[in-house]
Amino acid sequence: MTQIDPRLQEALDGERDPATLPAGLREAFARLSEAAQLLRDPPAVSVAERVMAEIRLDATVPAVSPLGAARRLVTWLSRPRAVTLRLRPAWTLALAAALAAIVLLPIEQSIAPKAHEGIAQFVGHFPGARSVEVVGSFNDWRRGALPLSDEDHDGIWHGAVVLPAGQHEYMFVVDGERWVADPLAGRYVDDGFGAGRQNALLIVRP
Amino acid sequence: MRLLLAVALATAPLAAQSPHTRLEGRVPAAALPGIDSLIEQAVAESLPTEPLVQKALEGGAKGIPVKRLVNGVRHGLVQLRDARAIVSRATPARVTLDGDVASVAAALARGLDPQLVERLLAGAPPPGESPGPVLHAAADLVTHGFPADSAADLLRTAQQDGLRGSRLLDVAVAASHELQREGGRTPMEALTRVRAMLPNVPVATPPHPRTVTRRAGPGS
């Protein structure tokens, strides 16, 4: 709290002639005196009267009129209002951290399979790979739809996805160019293009 | 386990787009007329077209040269015809479903003998139940070196004992485990062991990753 100059305090208390104050303090004395006067004088219109005046104004609009209701809504919406927000630093930080987690972390969510769906889990060992993705009949063989991840850079790429129950053919695409049949698939099927290449076959159980 | 970034991608309904629309831009323009023609033949013969569309999309994604790509789709059409013929012979009293034809075509693509497929279908699941699981279970057993006829007998017994759907895949898994047991068993010994377990073969444990993503669908 700012300490008030004792001479100014004395002048405000009437114990000192304001004329004896230095110029800077005289100016402060004048402002404080004006403020004190304002506080002493009763307002021309009391708060209660102003509130009642607003209520009377609203009462002039028929309550059942949709137009009036709309106008009141517009007035209410457009009127500026002061909002006081009291925050405790600890709670504020916790809230900020939670929001940051939601916004910044990858969109990760558990999605429960429905009755005719199952979870397919993909794991591939591709040390040194820059990217690995799964492309298959479940995503129209479209690239980029199901990337795997290797967060700890141990060369083991993981991914899981909910798929319709049944059979799906798929391949891993390593570094965007190398097509590899999942070595752990256990089931394979000739891809039919005549070069003896095979797709991995996945059977998703409901 | 590492969590996978998960984006639930919108899945455009397949039926909403014609095969030609789905293939445009995804396969070489030079391959499109040939593929369109094959798909039209499939439509004319009331065969499912989705396996052909998928084969074309696969070839386009893999950068297969035009001629081989079209041949791949043609090979798929031939397999569908064969599959439909097998389904019709095996279950003459039933309406032939696209899904059944596709399942049989997939079994043929896995190398199952057509006669074995027909035999499995004839003793097959009740109407409305896909033959896919029993065919895949048979293909799994044959791939692991079990005699085809014995494998089919085991699956038939399993069906008679009430096993359906993916539980039939458990039969194949159980047989493979028996085969790999320490000390070693012959395929016939393994099948006998599994037959004795029926219908209580162990249930395969589904994966439980902490986070999964929904299918990245067509049009995504």
Side-chain angles (χ1 to χ4, degrees):
Chain A
M1 184 171 159
T2 309
Q3 279 289 342
I4 190 167
D5 189 296
R7 290 168 297 175
L8 180 57
Q9 183 66 60
E10 288 170 11
L12 289 169
D13 291 345
E15 295 166 358
R16 173 193 279 268
D17 181 359
T20 63
L21 291 171
L25 288 180
R26 267 204 309 279
E27 197 178 320
F29 174 82
R31 283 202 304 273
L32 287 169
S33 298
E34 280 174 20
Q37 186 60 40
L38 278 174
L39 289 172
R40 274 195 298 272
D41 292 343
V45 182
S46 72
V47 172
E49 284 170 339
R50 277 186 283 164
V51 168
M52 291 310 293
E54 288 282 330
I55 291 170
R56 278 193 292 274
L57 186 65
D58 281 355
T60 59
V61 180
V64 292
S65 160
L67 193 64
R71 194 192 312 165
R72 279 206 304 279
L73 179 63
V74 170
T75 306
W76 185 83
L77 288 172
S78 59
R79 184 177 297 166
R81 286 161 205 281
V83 177
T84 305
L85 191 62
R86 289 167 180 249
L87 296 171
R88 292 173 195 272
W91 287 111
T92 310
L93 285 172
L95 182 64
L99 288 173
I102 291 168
V103 172
L104 298 177
L105 288 179
I107 307 164
E108 292 176 347
Q109 50 190 290
S110 290
I111 302 171
K114 295 174 191 164
H116 296 287
E117 293 180 330
I119 296 174
Q121 198 165 355
F122 300 99
V123 180
H125 185 220
F126 299 105
R130 296 185 304 281
S131 70
V132 179
E133 62 177 306
V134 186
V135 181
S137 52
F138 45 78
N139 56 17
D140 264 5
W141 297 90
R142 193 178 290 274
R143 300 281 298 278
L146 183 53
L148 302 187
S149 58
D150 176 20
E151 271 193 343
D152 52 8
H153 306 290
D154 62 355
I156 298 173
W157 296 73
H158 301 267
V161 64
V162 172
L163 293 176
Q167 71 155 45
H168 305 275
E169 292 181 34
Y170 69 98
M171 295 280 278
F172 289 144
V173 181
V174 181
D175 293 337
E177 57 187 22
R178 192 156 56 95
W179 290 71
V180 180
D182 180 355
L184 301 176
R187 296 182 178 102
Y188 303 91
V189 60
D190 189 282
D191 76 358
F193 293 118
R197 287 172 68 172
Q198 290 189 312
N199 292 330
L201 183 69
L202 169 72
I203 297 173
V204 175
R205 297 170 178 231
Chain B
M1 158 165 297
R2 157 76 176 99
L3 304 182
L4 175 68
L5 65 87
V7 181
L9 295 167
T11 56
L14 291 174
Q17 295 179 317
S18 72
H20 184 87
T21 307
R22 288 173 65 195
L23 295 175
E24 265 185 328
R26 299 286 312 277
V27 300
L32 258 180
I35 295 169
D36 282 344
S37 167
L38 292 167
I39 289 174
E40 282 165 15
Q41 286 179 50
V43 171
E45 296 173 36
S46 299
L47 291 168
T49 56
E50 184 58 23
L52 304 181
V53 174
Q54 287 296 329
K55 190 50 66 184
L57 290 170
E58 177 192 342
K62 289 179 173 176
I64 302 292
V66 170
K67 191 175 175 185
R68 278 175 48 206
L69 200 164
V70 176
N71 279 340
V73 178
R74 182 175 293 113
H75 179 66
L77 176 62
V78 170
Q79 270 186 334
L80 288 170
R81 282 180 184 142
D82 293 345
R84 208 251 305 274
I86 290 172
V87 174
S88 299
R89 280 199 304 271
T91 56
R94 284 197 216 165
V95 175
T96 304
L97 301 174
D98 279 2
D100 293 357
V101 173
S103 293
V104 170
L108 296 177
R110 286 194 70 185
L112 268 192
D113 179 69
Q115 288 184 334
L116 181 69
V117 172
E118 193 170 333
R119 182 176 157 201
L120 288 166
L121 283 180
E129 191 173 318
S130 168
V134 73
L135 295 176
H136 281 302
D140 288 351
L141 288 167
V142 171
T143 303
H144 284 99
F146 293 97
D149 286 339
S150 303
D153 287 342
L154 177 67
L155 292 169
R156 184 73 181 271
T157 306
Q159 286 179 315
Q160 287 167 350
D161 284 353
L163 295 188
R164 295 281 181 272
S166 59
R167 286 289 284 143
L168 293 167
L169 296 171
D170 291 334
V171 174
V173 172
S176 299
H177 286 173
E178 287 298 323
L179 196 60
Q180 293 160 12
R181 270 192 196 283
E182 198 173 346
R185 295 189 196 283
T186 66
M188 290 310 292
E189 285 171 342
L191 291 179
T192 303
R193 294 271 304 179
V194 174
R195 188 185 297 273
M197 289 180 203
L198 290 174
N200 300 313
V201 289
V203 179
T205 310
H208 285 292
R210 281 191 298 178
T211 300
V212 298
T213 177
R214 193 152 282 282
R215 165 171 71 126
S220 56

